[in-house]
Amino acid sequence: VDPATNVTSIENQYFENYGPPFGNFFIHTVQSGNNVVLPCQGVVSIVVDIYSDNPTYGDQGTFRLVLQKQ
């Protein structure tokens, strides 16, 4: 989280190797207005893309994660 702007982000990050034939999986932030912390509402939101370095499995899709204090 950038403390000056409250923008959330994840640099390209390796997170798992599921073994053959899947390959290595990575996650990174996708440009979005939903990458934000809203402290007064108790919300943290981030939009990410998950992909494999194995071309057969490639891009697994874009997902939005929202955490909200209850």
Side-chain angles (χ1 to χ4, degrees):
V1 176
D2 182 324
T5 64
N6 283 342
V7 172
T8 56
S9 64
I10 299 173
E11 294 297 321
N12 193 35
Q13 178 75 41
Y14 164 82
F15 70 89
E16 186 64 56
N17 181 309
Y18 292 102
F22 303 107
N24 296 309
F25 280 80
F26 300 85
I27 188 170
H28 65 96
T29 306
V30 174
Q31 188 84 9
S32 172
N34 290 315
N35 293 331
V36 65
V37 173
L38 304 170
C40 294
Q41 289 93 1
V43 172
V44 176
S45 175
I46 192 165
V47 180
V48 298
D49 183 59
I50 297 173
Y51 66 96
S52 170
D53 62 359
N54 180 328
T56 301
Y57 295 95
D59 191 9
Q60 297 293 301
T62 300
F63 305 91
R64 182 177 178 203
L65 172 66
V66 179
L67 303 174
Q68 184 166 5
K69 183 179 178 182
Q70 295 202 8

